[in-house]
Coordinates of all heavy atoms in Angstrom, one line a residue:
A1 N 112.8 98.1 105.8 CA 113.4 97.1 106.7 C 113.0 97.4 108.1 O 112.7 96.5 108.9 CB 114.9 97.2 106.5
I2 N 113.0 98.7 108.5 CA 112.6 99.1 109.9 C 111.2 98.7 110.1 O 110.8 98.2 111.2 CB 112.8 100.6 110.1 CG1 114.3 100.9 110.1 CG2 112.2 101.1 111.4 CD1 114.7 102.4 110.0
Q3 N 110.3 99.0 109.1 CA 108.9 98.7 109.3 C 108.7 97.2 109.4 O 107.9 96.7 110.3 CB 108.1 99.2 108.1 CG 106.6 99.0 108.2 CD 105.9 99.8 109.3 OE1 106.5 100.3 110.2 NE2 104.6 99.8 109.3
F4 N 109.4 96.4 108.6 CA 109.4 94.9 108.8 C 109.8 94.5 110.2 O 109.1 93.6 110.8 CB 110.3 94.3 107.7 CG 109.6 93.6 106.6 CD1 109.0 94.4 105.6 CD2 109.5 92.3 106.5 CE1 108.4 93.8 104.5 CE2 108.8 91.7 105.4 CZ 108.3 92.5 104.4
Y5 N 110.8 95.1 110.7 CA 111.3 94.7 112.0 C 110.3 95.1 113.1 O 110.0 94.3 114.0 CB 112.6 95.5 112.3 CG 113.2 95.2 113.7 CD1 113.8 94.0 114.0 CD2 113.1 96.2 114.7 CE1 114.3 93.8 115.2 CE2 113.6 96.0 115.9 CZ 114.2 94.8 116.2 OH 114.8 94.5 117.5
R6 N 109.7 96.2 113.0 CA 108.6 96.7 114.0 C 107.4 95.7 113.9 O 106.9 95.3 115.0 CB 108.2 98.1 113.7 CG 109.2 99.1 114.0 CD 108.7 100.5 113.6 NE 107.6 100.9 114.4 CZ 106.3 101.0 114.0 NH1 106.1 100.8 112.7 NH2 105.3 101.4 114.7
L7 N 107.0 95.4 112.7 CA 105.8 94.5 112.6 C 106.2 93.1 113.0 O 105.3 92.4 113.6 CB 105.3 94.5 111.1 CG 104.7 95.8 110.6 CD1 104.5 95.8 109.1 CD2 103.4 96.2 111.4
G8 N 107.4 92.7 112.8 CA 107.8 91.4 113.3 C 107.8 91.3 114.8 O 107.4 90.2 115.3
L9 N 108.3 92.3 115.4 CA 108.3 92.3 116.9 C 106.8 92.3 117.4 O 106.6 91.7 118.5 CB 108.9 93.6 117.4 CG 110.4 93.7 117.3 CD1 110.9 95.1 117.8 CD2 111.1 92.6 118.0
A10 N 105.9 92.8 116.7 CA 104.5 92.8 117.1 C 103.8 91.5 116.6 O 102.6 91.3 116.8 CB 103.7 94.0 116.5
E11 N 104.6 90.6 116.1 CA 104.1 89.3 115.6 C 103.0 89.4 114.6 O 102.0 88.6 114.6 CB 103.7 88.4 116.8 CG 104.8 88.1 117.8 CD 104.3 87.2 119.0 OE1 103.1 87.0 119.1 OE2 105.2 86.8 119.7
E12 N 103.1 90.3 113.7 CA 102.1 90.5 112.6 C 102.5 89.8 111.3 O 101.8 89.9 110.3 CB 101.9 92.0 112.4 CG 101.2 92.7 113.5 CD 100.7 94.1 113.2 OE1 100.1 94.2 112.1 OE2 100.9 95.0 113.9
A13 N 103.6 89.1 111.3 CA 104.0 88.3 110.1 C 104.0 89.1 108.8 O 103.2 88.8 107.9 CB 103.2 87.1 110.0
P14 N 104.8 90.2 108.7 CA 104.7 91.0 107.5 C 105.4 90.3 106.3 O 106.2 89.4 106.5 CB 105.6 92.2 107.9 CG 106.5 91.7 108.9 CD 105.8 90.7 109.7
R15 N 104.9 90.6 105.1 CA 105.5 90.1 103.9 C 105.4 91.2 102.8 O 104.5 92.0 102.8 CB 104.9 88.8 103.4 CG 103.4 89.0 102.9 CD 102.9 87.6 102.6 NE 101.5 87.7 102.0 CZ 101.3 87.7 100.7 NH1 102.3 87.6 99.9 NH2 100.0 87.7 100.3
L16 N 106.5 91.3 102.0 CA 106.5 92.3 100.9 C 105.8 91.8 99.7 O 106.0 90.7 99.2 CB 108.0 92.6 100.6 CG 108.2 93.7 99.6 CD1 107.8 95.1 100.2 CD2 109.7 93.8 99.2
V17 N 104.9 92.7 99.2 CA 104.1 92.3 98.0 C 104.4 93.3 96.9 O 104.3 94.5 97.1 CB 102.6 92.3 98.4 CG1 101.7 92.0 97.1 CG2 102.3 91.3 99.5
F18 N 104.7 92.8 95.7 CA 104.9 93.7 94.6 C 103.6 93.6 93.8 O 103.3 92.7 93.0 CB 106.1 93.1 93.7 CG 106.2 93.9 92.4 CD1 106.6 95.2 92.4 CD2 106.1 93.2 91.2 CE1 106.7 95.9 91.2 CE2 106.2 93.8 90.0 CZ 106.5 95.2 90.0
A19 N 102.8 94.7 93.9 CA 101.5 94.8 93.2 C 101.0 96.2 93.4 O 101.2 96.8 94.4 CB 100.5 93.8 93.8
A20 N 100.4 96.7 92.3 CA 99.7 98.0 92.4 C 98.3 97.8 92.8 O 97.6 96.8 92.6 CB 99.8 98.6 91.0
I21 N 97.8 98.8 93.5 CA 96.4 98.8 94.0 C 95.4 99.3 92.9 O 95.7 100.4 92.3 CB 96.2 99.6 95.2 CG1 97.1 99.0 96.4 CG2 94.7 99.7 95.7 CD1 97.0 99.9 97.6
D22 N 94.4 98.5 92.5 CA 93.5 98.9 91.5 C 92.5 99.9 92.2 O 91.8 99.6 93.1 CB 92.7 97.7 91.1 CG 91.8 98.0 89.9 OD1 91.4 99.2 89.7 OD2 91.5 97.1 89.1
P23 N 92.5 101.2 91.7 CA 91.7 102.2 92.3 C 90.2 101.9 92.2 O 89.4 102.4 93.0 CB 92.0 103.5 91.6 CG 92.6 103.0 90.3 CD 93.3 101.7 90.6
R24 N 89.8 101.1 91.3 CA 88.4 100.8 91.1 C 87.9 99.8 92.1 O 86.7 99.9 92.5 CB 88.1 100.2 89.7 CG 88.4 101.2 88.5 CD 88.5 100.4 87.2 NE 89.6 99.5 87.2 CZ 89.9 98.7 86.1 NH1 89.2 98.8 85.0 NH2 90.9 97.8 86.2
T25 N 88.7 98.9 92.5 CA 88.3 97.9 93.5 C 89.0 98.0 94.8 O 88.6 97.3 95.8 CB 88.6 96.5 92.9 OG1 90.0 96.3 92.7 CG2 87.9 96.3 91.5
E26 N 90.0 98.8 94.9 CA 90.8 99.0 96.1 C 91.5 97.6 96.5 O 91.8 97.4 97.7 CB 90.0 99.4 97.3 CG 89.4 100.8 97.1 CD 90.4 101.9 97.0 OE1 91.5 101.8 97.7 OE2 90.3 102.9 96.2
M27 N 91.7 96.8 95.5 CA 92.4 95.5 95.7 C 93.7 95.5 95.0 O 93.9 96.3 94.0 CB 91.5 94.3 95.3 CG 90.1 94.3 96.0 SD 90.3 93.9 97.8 CE 90.9 92.2 97.7
L28 N 94.6 94.5 95.3 CA 95.8 94.4 94.6 C 95.6 93.8 93.3 O 94.9 92.8 93.1 CB 96.8 93.5 95.5 CG 97.2 94.1 96.8 CD1 98.1 93.1 97.6 CD2 97.9 95.4 96.7
G29 N 96.3 94.4 92.2 CA 96.2 93.9 90.9 C 97.2 92.8 90.6 O 98.1 92.6 91.4

């Protein structure tokens, strides 16, 4: 929540993503 608030103040439009990172592609699965 604190990180969301900090990023919001910086106008970076954060959003929470539920996904594991695929180590083979470094992308979200």
Side-chain angles (χ1 to χ4, degrees):
I2 291 171
Q3 182 69 346
F4 253 75
Y5 178 72
R6 291 178 62 251
L7 293 171
L9 288 179
E11 299 183 350
E12 293 194 41
R15 66 187 185 95
L16 186 65
V17 177
F18 173 64
I21 298 176
D22 189 336
R24 295 167 298 181
T25 63
E26 297 297 324
M27 301 296 291
L28 296 176

